[in-house]
Amino acid sequence: MEPREVSDAGEHPWFAIHVKSNHEKSVCLHLSVKGFEVFLPVCRTRNRWADRFKIVETPLFRGYVFARLDPSRPNSIFSTPGVLKIVGTGRHPLPVAEGEMSAIRRAVDANLQLRECDFFTMGQRATVVGGTLAGLEGTIVRVKHQTRLVLSISLLQRSVDLEIDESVVRVDSDRSIPQYSADGDSGSAIPALRRGEL
């Protein structure tokens, strides 16, 4: 992408870029140096190393990074070490839904504890009405007495979730609230959808 296009990067949609295993951070660094606006959501965990603790960051969507780009000029993307393809249909890149991208970015910016979960194609849509995430939309599920908000990237069929106070969430009263029971109680459970079952 030529320098004249860099200043317009924010006007382009977000795309998901499939990269080689364990190349997410290096691809983001290379693309950033080229002038692309990039985003790599990570999960932070506190691990013990010998006599100390260390915060370890791992990509939430392993094998993918996100960048704003002009899909008609992808050469700078494909010349980046570690890049496999831009996600889409055949040779036609498809943008990530702006609302989904915005939701993930807001959750990451709020420094919340996100974790990867199964991709949900059904459930009750909900809107956060209070706190730092006010206005954020997602899917509500209950896991082991916790209320969790699921945020998805439909293009990748991947989801992440976070624990949330149910009192700050407004749900659609016309639909039943999905329940996920760890003990397999089918009377109140909505099954988690595995990627291989989609």
Side-chain angles (χ1 to χ4, degrees):
M1 191 173 287
E2 277 92 56
R4 65 182 175 81
E5 294 179 296
V6 172
S7 62
D8 296 330
E11 298 177 5
H12 296 311
W14 287 100
F15 287 84
I17 302 169
H18 188 199
V19 304
K20 293 180 180 178
S21 178
N22 298 319
H23 281 63
E24 295 91 351
K25 291 183 179 179
S26 64
V27 168
C28 275
L29 179 60
H30 279 96
L31 292 178
S32 180
V33 169
K34 290 181 178 182
F36 288 96
E37 182 181 353
V38 296
F39 176 54
L40 177 61
V42 297
C43 174
R44 296 178 177 87
T45 55
R46 188 170 179 259
N47 293 350
R48 181 162 189 162
W49 290 44
D51 60 343
R52 61 192 174 88
F53 288 93
K54 182 177 181 180
I55 301 299
V56 178
E57 293 186 345
T58 55
L60 276 171
F61 301 98
R62 286 169 289 180
Y64 295 93
V65 302
F66 302 92
R68 288 192 186 273
L69 62 99
D70 180 350
S72 68
R73 306 178 67 87
N75 291 340
S76 290
I77 295 290
F78 293 129
S79 65
T80 303
V83 167
L84 298 176
K85 67 176 182 178
I86 303 172
V87 179
T89 304
R91 295 187 177 183
H92 303 285
L94 294 176
V96 177
E98 189 66 34
E100 293 180 348
M101 200 74 230
S102 176
I104 297 290
R105 294 182 73 197
R106 284 192 61 191
V108 169
D109 289 345
N111 203 29
L112 297 174
Q113 186 62 43
L114 295 166
R115 68 177 189 184
E116 187 178 13
C117 67
D118 293 303
F119 177 68
F120 285 86
T121 57
M122 55 184 174
Q124 185 165 21
R125 296 296 293 175
T127 303
V128 180
V129 294
T132 58
L133 296 182
L136 194 70
E137 294 184 355
T139 302
I140 283 292
V141 295
R142 292 193 179 94
V143 183
K144 296 181 179 178
H145 309 294
Q146 290 183 347
T147 299
R148 304 196 69 88
L149 184 69
V150 178
L151 306 175
S152 301
I153 300 292
S154 300
L155 182 65
L156 301 181
Q157 293 194 340
R158 299 281 188 92
S159 297
V160 296
D161 68 8
L162 58 97
E163 186 176 358
I164 195 164
D165 183 349
E166 192 169 348
S167 68
V168 300
V169 176
R170 183 185 69 236
V171 297
D172 183 351
S173 59
D174 294 332
R175 297 170 63 189
S176 60
I177 298 176
Q179 303 279 341
Y180 176 72
S181 173
D183 60 12
D185 179 7
S186 59
S188 63
I190 179 171
L193 300 180
R194 306 287 176 182
R195 294 189 194 102
E197 298 173 344
L198 297 175

